[in-house]
């Protein structure tokens, strides 16, 4: 029997606060047993990402309910598309999900507790940090319908793991376990209780110097688009702006007065 809540609302976006008062957003995939990315799921994720971009928290956690993170994309989404319609679909998903997710001015953590296929894996690759449970498996299996992953998966895999690994994973369409992808540099860490560890990490990051985290993301984004020279060229202004933030001024004063590790941050 279809779960009415899942059919009516494929995702859940919650905002909570750490003990120190920092806001965290938790985006949960909750679309039935398989968390398939059908049109309703894509629409819901786009709306959630737009809400995050409009009102950014100090950290974001992406996670899923159920046995799997996602069994992939509902193939009906691809049925009958022309070349132009296919290109429009990918352009929309870049513009409405992957790019704004990467551009959020705060750390974004992805928690994978089980099978994570196609769109869900590509969304993970647009996040800053990926944590996984030992039993999690990952795959870009679009070859089964004669397609290549087109939400940024191949190029983001190549960035993290190297182009040879990316070609292998995409062309074979095989599943890869969490330990292997940790060794490749795709998954940051593997934890038995990944949800608890992910929530703890997100809370720690949210309590930190949010503006500095954003600066880190900007510098790495510059490197991704133009290499070390381009990142060097934007670093002075990006980092220099931090000297006028309340958090840096307060942390410097705290360090001088009581030593390292005692500062509190408000994200300003």
């Amino acid at each position: 029997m279809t779960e009415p809540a899942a059919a009516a609302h494929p995702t859940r976006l919650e905002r909570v606060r750490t003990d120190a008062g920092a806001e965290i957003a938790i985006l949960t995939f909750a679309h039935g047993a398989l968390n398939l990315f059908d049109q309703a799921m894509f629409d819901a994720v786009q709306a959630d990402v737009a809400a995050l971009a409009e009102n950014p928290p100090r950290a974001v956690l992406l996670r899923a309910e159920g046995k799997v993170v996602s069994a992939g994309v509902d193939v009906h989404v691809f049925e009958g598309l022309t070349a132009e319609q296919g290109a429009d679909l990918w352009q929309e998903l870049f513009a409405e999900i992957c790019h704004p997710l990467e551009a959020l001015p705060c750390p974004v953590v992805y928690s994978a507790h089980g099978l994570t296929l196609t769109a869900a894996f590509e969304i993970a690759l647009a996040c800053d940090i990926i944590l996984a449970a030992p039993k999690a498996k990952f795959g870009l299996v679009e070859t089964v319908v004669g397609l290549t992953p087109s939400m940024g998966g191949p190029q983001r895999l190549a960035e993290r793991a190297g182009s040879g690994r990316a070609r292998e994973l995409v062309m074979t369409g095989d599943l890869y376990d969490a330990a292997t992808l940790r060794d490749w540099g795709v998954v940051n860490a593997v934890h038995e209780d990944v949800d608890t560890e992910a929530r703890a990490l997100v809370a720690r990051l949210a309590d930190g110097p949010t503006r500095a985290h954003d600066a880190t993301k900007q510098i790495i984004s510059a490197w991704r688009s133009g290499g070390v020279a381009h990142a060097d060229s934007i670093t002075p202004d990006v980092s220099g702006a931090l000297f006028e933030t309340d958090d840096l001024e307060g942390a410097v004063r705290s360090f001088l007065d009581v030593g390292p590790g005692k500062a509190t941050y408000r994200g300003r």
Side-chain angles (χ1 to χ4, degrees):
M1 187 171 74
T2 302
E3 301 174 32
H9 199 72
T11 63
R12 185 171 66 253
L13 182 61
E14 307 165 276
R15 291 179 185 258
V16 300
R17 291 194 177 272
T18 67
D19 292 341
E23 185 180 67
I24 294 170
I26 303 173
L27 171 54
T28 301
F29 303 152
H31 196 32
L34 299 179
N35 281 320
L36 282 179
F37 274 76
D38 56 13
Q39 192 59 54
M41 181 71 142
F42 278 122
D43 290 345
V45 173
Q46 288 183 43
D48 292 333
V49 171
L52 292 170
E54 183 177 357
N55 182 20
R58 290 179 61 189
V60 176
L61 172 62
L62 276 68
R63 59 181 298 279
E65 290 183 347
K67 185 176 180 180
V68 305
V69 175
S70 175
V73 176
D74 184 341
V75 177
H76 289 96
V77 171
F78 303 140
E79 189 175 17
L81 295 184
T82 65
E84 182 178 3
Q85 290 169 332
D88 288 344
L89 170 65
W90 302 129
Q91 182 60 48
E92 177 183 341
L93 295 177
F94 273 126
E96 301 296 332
I97 297 180
C98 295
H99 292 166
L101 193 61
E102 289 178 318
L104 286 174
C106 64
V108 181
V109 176
Y110 195 99
S111 174
H113 67 277
L115 185 67
T116 305
L117 298 183
T118 66
F121 189 13
E122 293 188 280
I123 291 171
L125 291 165
C127 297
D128 297 310
I129 297 172
I130 303 173
L131 303 183
K135 66 180 180 180
K137 290 186 181 297
F138 299 82
L140 297 176
V141 298
E142 284 83 350
T143 56
V144 299
V145 293
L147 188 63
T148 189
S150 302
M151 287 177 63
Q155 52 269 47
R156 284 161 180 77
L157 270 173
E159 179 188 25
R160 292 176 184 245
S163 65
R165 296 295 195 189
R167 282 186 285 243
E168 174 192 335
L169 192 148
V170 173
M171 290 180 180
T172 64
D174 289 342
L175 300 184
Y176 292 76
D177 61 31
T180 297
L181 292 193
R182 177 193 57 203
D183 291 344
W184 287 9
V186 177
V187 167
N188 292 84
V190 179
H191 299 287
E192 286 289 344
D193 187 350
V194 69
D195 197 59
T196 296
E197 294 290 343
R199 289 173 187 270
L201 175 60
V202 169
R204 173 186 169 192
L205 294 171
D207 286 338
T210 309
R211 295 284 296 277
H213 292 328
D214 181 32
T216 298
K217 293 181 67 165
Q218 291 182 56
I219 292 167
I220 293 174
S221 178
W223 168 78
R224 296 173 75 193
S225 64
V228 171
H230 179 48
D232 287 351
S233 74
I234 67 105
T235 295
D237 287 339
V238 170
S239 182
L242 297 175
F243 287 95
E244 295 184 357
T245 63
D246 292 344
D247 280 348
L248 184 145
E249 292 177 6
V252 169
R253 177 50 51 198
S254 174
F255 187 101
L256 293 174
D257 290 346
V258 297
K262 306 293 196 303
T264 58
Y265 301 98
R266 298 186 179 278
R268 298 196 294 266

